[in-house]
């Protein structure tokens, strides 16, 4: 039976495909005629925001992307960074926000699957995963359902595939009520001389389809991800893909085996826009045309149209350009792993993207214009306003410092995430050196006795909302600090820029300013951006999310035996504050949770100070002085000390210099750390540090079972732990919490 591949092109159909009038006129000019229905789908897929970055390209070009450690920067499936000894780390972060709100389990699961494919498509075996999750307010009727589904999806896919989840973030805010964020990160290891890219080379070579069969799941997913939500959100459910981690595990092993055989010329993951995007990108990057025969595509549903096959986002699929003499060997590998292997086309020299189905040419388009010449907009933007600094004395102190600290450590954003990460396999592969809950995840580099990699994901959206430029800098700076606090030297970063509708000048201005801040921080801290993702139109009925430019970083540790942890201080260790007394209370967790406000400027980020203090702390750890280390961020010094005490099970007695007590304890000034040093070495450490030019002071001693700070805080560590550990379990299962006595 012949499948109907045609449909009248109407203004309504064009609008449904996310194309405006000017873009469609340009398509008519490039095509030379009215496009077919399949061609309209192809143009829409390649020119939507999710695939083309048409609103952000101008600004992404300003980010630092190069350095002696960078092997491949943005433009490939993932970034590649040299870690010495012929090894490289391959990593990237991507969003799966819209699908995860519509169908949380599969949305999150396929987000994990997609980012893992980006890594192993380049020839790297995945060794670590992270995820940055942001949900609406806890009391919102959808939040508990979304948290449950997303966490189960992340764990279900990652655990089955066999990669450890070593870190991430979980936060709540009313601005995510209608549009949650699920940002997935993966990293893998490969040999520098065995990296595979997507650039096709050679004419008349076979184009091979690899992996699972194609179905109708995910058709139009990339276009859906480039649009705002409205009240008809449930109608978009069919655009969410369905994942199979066991098939993906087979695909990983088959691809790595295939690469070792020497059969691969180019390879590309079928991610957003599926067969369309993968084929066009491979051809366009190699200045080649591609001819596809859809009758050869393995399908799992009857009567699929060319449009559906070209735009399906069915998971666990790859496209490859193959060395012809290796065809039989390659096919045998995929047959052994129980996966489809089909020659579905060939490379050509005509720079055309030609698609055939049931004896009919359903698409014939200029491939370079599809792949490389999507619209690039310089959208109107407004420079964000600034706030005047607010002095600490203008903020009310707490009535009870003990109660304030307990409230902070037991709040939605600062409470323990154990309920989340215990659902993830954090130890599989046997190389994890730190569990989630510390500053950064650390994974041993297999095959080396001492080498390890540290991973962290960070952003403080309330800072970005208050001041996008400073907030962008801070996201990079905090990621830098978290990596440094383990004893690793930061190498590079990937970004995941989550914002609202860029057609609104105030949203576009926030994006521009945040990118400017990110770029300056990456340059100052020597952390080039080597890969990333932009996710725009994150808003529902006109209300945008908090601007959330997530930064995930990777650091290298030469000797993990000297690694610092948050909770490894010993009785009698001396605590040093690297940095100065806290003064900044605007936009802090204290202001929000205790005072009930979110006002004022974000804390300023002095990048030279971040670099100097980071180098100081890194030297303290690698020289063997530091028995424990923790950066000071959300909640300020008091929360950082409480977190160290809870992690070690030991108390601390601290005397700190105080001008304004609430600012000293809860201020979120940047570029600060707590370092624990063995009492035997404390005086030597202090003496050797005097000439460093870095502010530091002795603030206390690790001892007992109670955290004491001046005469303000006196709380047993067991009480801190009870508050810290109880929020998430009681939120997710309120029936399990006994009612308070009358």
């Amino acid at each position: 039976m012949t499948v109907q591949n045609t449909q009248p092109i109407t203004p309504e159909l064009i609008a449904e495909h996310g194309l405006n009038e000017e873009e469609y006129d340009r398509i008519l000019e490039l095509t030379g005629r009215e496009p077919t229905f399949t061609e309209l789908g192809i143009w829409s897929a390649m020119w939507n925001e999710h695939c083309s970055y048409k609103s952000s390209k101008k600004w992404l070009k300003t980010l630092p992307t190069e350095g002696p450690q960078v092997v491949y920067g943005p433009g490939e499936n993932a970034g590649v960074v040299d870690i010495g000894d012929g090894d490289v780390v391959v990593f990237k972060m991507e969003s799966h926000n819209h699908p995860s709100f519509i169908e949380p389990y599969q949305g999150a699961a396929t987000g994990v699957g997609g980012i893992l494919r980006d890594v192993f498509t380049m020839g790297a075996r995945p060794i670590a995963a992270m995820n940055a999750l942001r949900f609406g307010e806890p009391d919102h009727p959808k939040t508990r359902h979304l948290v449950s589904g997303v966490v189960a999806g992340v764990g279900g896919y990652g655990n089955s595939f066999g990669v450890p989840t070593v870190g991430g973030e979980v936060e709540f805010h009313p601005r995510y009520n209608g549009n949650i964020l699920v940002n997935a990160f993966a990293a893998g290891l490969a040999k520098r001389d065995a990296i595979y890219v997507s650039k096709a080379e050679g004419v008349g070579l076979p184009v091979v389809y690899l992996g699972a069969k194609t179905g109708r799941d995910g058709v139009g997913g990339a276009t859906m991800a480039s649009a705002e939500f409205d009240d008809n959100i449930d109608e978009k459910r069919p655009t969410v893909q369905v994942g199979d981690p066991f098939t993906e595990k087979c695909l990983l092993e088959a691809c790595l085996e295939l690469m070792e055989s020497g059969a691969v010329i180019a390879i590309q993951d079928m991610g957003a826009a599926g067969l369309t995007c993968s084929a066009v990108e491979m051809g366009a990057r190699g200045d080649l045309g591609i001819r596809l025969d859809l009758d050869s595509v393995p399908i799992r549903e009857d009567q699929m149209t060319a449009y559906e096959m070209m735009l399906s986002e069915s998971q666990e699929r790859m496209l490859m350009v193959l060395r012809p003499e290796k065809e039989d060997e390659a096919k045998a590998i995929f047959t052994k792993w129980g996966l489809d292997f089909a020659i579905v086309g060939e490379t050509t020299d005509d720079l055309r993207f030609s698609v055939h189905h049931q004896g009919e040419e359903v698409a014939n388009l200029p491939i370079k214009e599809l792949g490389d010449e999507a619209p690039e907009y310089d959208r109107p933007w407004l420079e964000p306003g600034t706030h005047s600094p607010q002095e600490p004395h203008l903020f009310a102190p707490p009535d009870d410092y003990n109660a304030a600290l307990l409230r902070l450590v037991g709040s939605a954003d600062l409470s323990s995430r154990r309920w989340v990460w215990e659902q993830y396999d954090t130890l599989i592969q046997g190389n994890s050196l730190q569990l989630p809950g510390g500053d950064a995840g650390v994974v041993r580099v297999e095959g080396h006795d001492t080498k390890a990699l540290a991973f962290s994901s960070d952003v403080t959206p309330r800072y970005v909302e208050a001041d996008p430029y400073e907030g962008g800098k801070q996201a990079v700076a905090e990621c830098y600090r978290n990596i440094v606090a383990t004893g690793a030297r930061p190498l590079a970063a990937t970004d995941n820029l989550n914002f609202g509708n860029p057609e609104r000048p105030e949203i576009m201005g926030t994006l521009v300013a945040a990118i400017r801040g990110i770029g300056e921080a990456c340059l100052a801290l020597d952390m080039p951006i080597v890969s990333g993702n932009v996710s725009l139109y994150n808003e529902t009925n006109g209300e945008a999310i908090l601007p959330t430019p997530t930064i995930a970083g990777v650091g290298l540790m030469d000797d993990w035996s000297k690694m610092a942890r948050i909770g490894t201080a010993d009785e009698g260790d001396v605590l040093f504050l690297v940095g100065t007394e806290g003064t900044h209370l605007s936009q802090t967790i204290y202001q929000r949770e205790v005072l009930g406000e979110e006002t004022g400027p974000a804390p300023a980020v002095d990048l030279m100070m971040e670099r100097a203090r980071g180098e100081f702390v890194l030297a303290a750890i690698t020289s063997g002085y530091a028995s424990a280390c923790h950066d000071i961020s959300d909640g300020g010094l008091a929360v950082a000390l409480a977190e160290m005490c809870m992690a070690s099970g030991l108390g601390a007695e601290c005397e700190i210099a105080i001008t304004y007590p609430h600012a000293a304890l809860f201020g979120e000034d940047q570029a600060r750390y707590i370092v624990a040093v063995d009492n035997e070495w404390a005086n030597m450490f202090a003496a050797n540090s005097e000439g460093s030019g870095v502010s530091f002071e002795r603030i206390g001693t690790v001892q007992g079972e109670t955290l004491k700070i001046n005469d303000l805080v006196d709380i047993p560590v067991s009480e801190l732990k009870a508050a810290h550990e109880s929020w998430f379990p009681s939120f997710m299962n309120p029936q399990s919490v006994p009612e308070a006595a009358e």
Side-chain angles (χ1 to χ4, degrees), residues 360-376:
E360 175 190 3
E361 186 175 57
V362 294
N364 191 318
L365 299 171
I367 200 166
K368 294 289 285 185
E369 286 77 358
L370 273 170
D372 297 341
E373 297 185 27
E376 180 177 326

Side-chain angles (χ1 to χ4, degrees), residues 98-122:
H98 284 46
S100 298
F101 186 78
I102 297 167
E103 213 305 300
Y105 184 94
Q106 290 297 347
T110 52
V112 173
I115 199 66
L116 289 168
R117 284 196 304 280
D118 280 338
V119 167
F120 71 74
T121 298
M122 299 197 71

Side-chain angles (χ1 to χ4, degrees), residues 409-410 414-419 421-422 646-647 718-730:
V409 299
L414 295 187
S415 61
S416 169
R417 270 60 183 131
R418 185 184 303 276
W419 183 92
W421 61 258
E422 283 190 343
M646 289 185 287
S718 59
E719 193 174 338
L720 287 167
K721 275 189 174 181
H724 188 56
E725 295 287 349
S726 63
W727 185 88
F728 229 111
S730 63

Side-chain angles (χ1 to χ4, degrees), residues 246-480:
F246 301 105
T247 296
E248 178 127 330
K249 175 65 172 175
C250 292
L251 184 61
L252 161 72
E253 300 300 342
C255 283
L256 294 183
E257 187 174 342
L258 185 68
M259 290 165 177
E260 287 184 7
S261 75
V264 178
I265 293 176
I267 189 165
Q268 176 75 19
D269 163 43
M270 285 196 222
L275 191 54
T276 289
C277 196
S278 56
V280 169
E281 287 184 359
M282 288 175 71
R285 287 175 181 170
D287 293 322
L288 295 170
I290 298 283
R291 183 189 189 279
L292 292 181
D293 178 7
L294 298 185
D295 296 333
S296 300
V297 171
I299 58 175
R300 54 178 163 81
E301 298 188 49
D302 294 334
Q303 303 300 308
M304 288 190 71
T305 65
Y307 178 97
E308 290 171 329
M309 281 191 270
M310 292 306 297
L311 298 186
S312 167
E313 294 184 8
S314 294
Q315 296 291 285
E316 295 85 41
R317 301 179 302 157
M318 301 281 197
L319 202 65
M320 174 183 70
V321 175
L322 174 72
R323 298 190 189 281
E325 68 275 12
K326 294 280 190 176
E327 179 183 335
D328 290 342
E329 184 179 354
K331 185 173 183 178
I333 290 171
F334 272 75
T335 300
K336 179 183 74 173
W337 286 100
L339 299 168
D340 280 295
F341 176 100
I343 295 177
V344 296
E346 65 177 358
T347 58
T348 64
D349 61 359
D350 58 5
L351 290 177
R352 304 294 293 182
F353 185 46
S354 174
V355 182
H356 298 255
H357 187 221
Q358 295 190 340
E360 175 190 3
E361 186 175 57
V362 294
N364 191 318
L365 299 171
I367 200 166
K368 294 289 285 185
E369 286 77 358
L370 273 170
D372 297 341
E373 297 185 27
E376 180 177 326
Y377 293 129
D378 185 1
R379 295 199 184 276
W381 57 279
L382 297 174
E383 187 72 47
T386 57
H387 301 270
S388 300
Q390 293 174 271
E391 295 300 321
H393 67 269
L394 298 177
F395 295 85
D399 296 330
D400 182 329
Y401 279 86
N402 286 340
L405 180 53
L406 287 168
R407 180 166 183 168
L408 293 191
V409 299
S411 65
D413 276 359
L414 295 187
S415 61
S416 169
R417 270 60 183 131
R418 185 184 303 276
W419 183 92
V420 175
W421 61 258
E422 283 190 343
Q423 297 186 53
Y424 304 152
D425 194 330
T426 58
L427 298 173
I428 196 167
Q429 298 185 13
N431 292 317
S432 300
L433 297 174
Q434 290 207 29
L435 292 174
D439 285 308
V442 181
V443 174
R444 185 174 63 88
V445 176
E446 200 161 312
H448 296 270
D449 293 334
T450 62
K451 191 180 292 187
L453 293 167
F455 306 97
S456 184
S457 166
D458 299 282
V459 65
T460 309
R462 64 184 185 277
Y463 293 171
V464 188
E465 172 86 344
D467 187 329
Y469 170 67
E470 291 295 338
K473 289 198 296 183
Q474 193 274 341
V476 178
E478 185 168 349
C479 185
Y480 171 87

Side-chain angles (χ1 to χ4, degrees), residues 394-675:
L394 298 177
F395 295 85
D399 296 330
D400 182 329
Y401 279 86
N402 286 340
L405 180 53
L406 287 168
R407 180 166 183 168
L408 293 191
V409 299
S411 65
D413 276 359
L414 295 187
S415 61
S416 169
R417 270 60 183 131
R418 185 184 303 276
W419 183 92
V420 175
W421 61 258
E422 283 190 343
Q423 297 186 53
Y424 304 152
D425 194 330
T426 58
L427 298 173
I428 196 167
Q429 298 185 13
N431 292 317
S432 300
L433 297 174
Q434 290 207 29
L435 292 174
D439 285 308
V442 181
V443 174
R444 185 174 63 88
V445 176
E446 200 161 312
H448 296 270
D449 293 334
T450 62
K451 191 180 292 187
L453 293 167
F455 306 97
S456 184
S457 166
D458 299 282
V459 65
T460 309
R462 64 184 185 277
Y463 293 171
V464 188
E465 172 86 344
D467 187 329
Y469 170 67
E470 291 295 338
K473 289 198 296 183
Q474 193 274 341
V476 178
E478 185 168 349
C479 185
Y480 171 87
R481 286 198 303 271
N482 281 330
I483 291 170
V484 163
T486 68
R489 177 170 294 281
L491 287 177
T494 179
D495 59 2
N496 201 153
L497 309 179
N498 307 273
F499 290 82
N501 184 345
E503 296 168 47
R504 293 165 55 189
E506 67 276 16
I507 298 288
M508 194 65 215
T510 300
L511 174 64
V512 170
I515 290 175
R516 186 165 69 241
I518 289 168
E520 288 187 18
C522 287
L523 201 60
L525 301 176
D526 196 18
M527 288 178 67
I529 298 288
V530 297
S531 59
N533 172 245
V534 179
S535 176
L536 304 180
Y537 296 95
N538 288 290
E539 54 184 81
T540 300
N541 293 325
E543 182 175 30
I545 60 165
L546 287 177
T548 311
T550 310
I551 301 295
V554 177
L556 177 64
M557 196 178 292
D558 291 323
D559 184 357
W560 60 261
S561 70
K562 296 178 180 177
M563 173 179 61
R565 293 180 171 89
I566 179 176
T568 49
D570 294 319
E571 184 86 25
D573 282 357
V574 176
L575 297 172
F576 288 87
L577 167 64
V578 178
T580 54
E581 177 185 343
T583 61
H584 190 94
L585 285 169
S586 300
Q587 297 296 338
T588 60
I589 294 287
Y590 171 81
Q591 184 196 33
R592 187 177 77 193
E593 295 295 328
V594 177
L595 304 183
E597 302 171 359
E598 286 184 88
T599 61
V605 179
D606 183 326
L607 293 170
M608 294 303 99
M609 191 178 293
E610 288 282 0
R611 183 69 180 257
R613 292 178 182 172
E615 295 283 358
F616 175 88
V617 170
L618 192 58
I621 296 171
T622 56
S623 299
Y625 279 118
S627 57
C629 183
H630 188 23
D631 91 304
I632 299 173
S633 56
D634 283 350
L637 175 64
V639 168
L641 285 167
E643 288 171 340
M644 293 184 79
C645 288
M646 289 185 287
S648 68
L650 296 170
E653 291 198 10
C654 300
E655 285 289 334
I656 59 176
I658 285 180
T659 305
Y660 298 104
H662 55 324
L665 266 61
F666 304 120
E668 294 179 10
D669 305 64
Q670 300 296 294
R672 300 191 298 159
Y673 304 78
I674 301 169
V675 177

Side-chain angles (χ1 to χ4, degrees), residues 121-132:
T121 298
M122 299 197 71
R125 181 173 291 279
I127 62 163
M130 294 190 296
N131 50 83

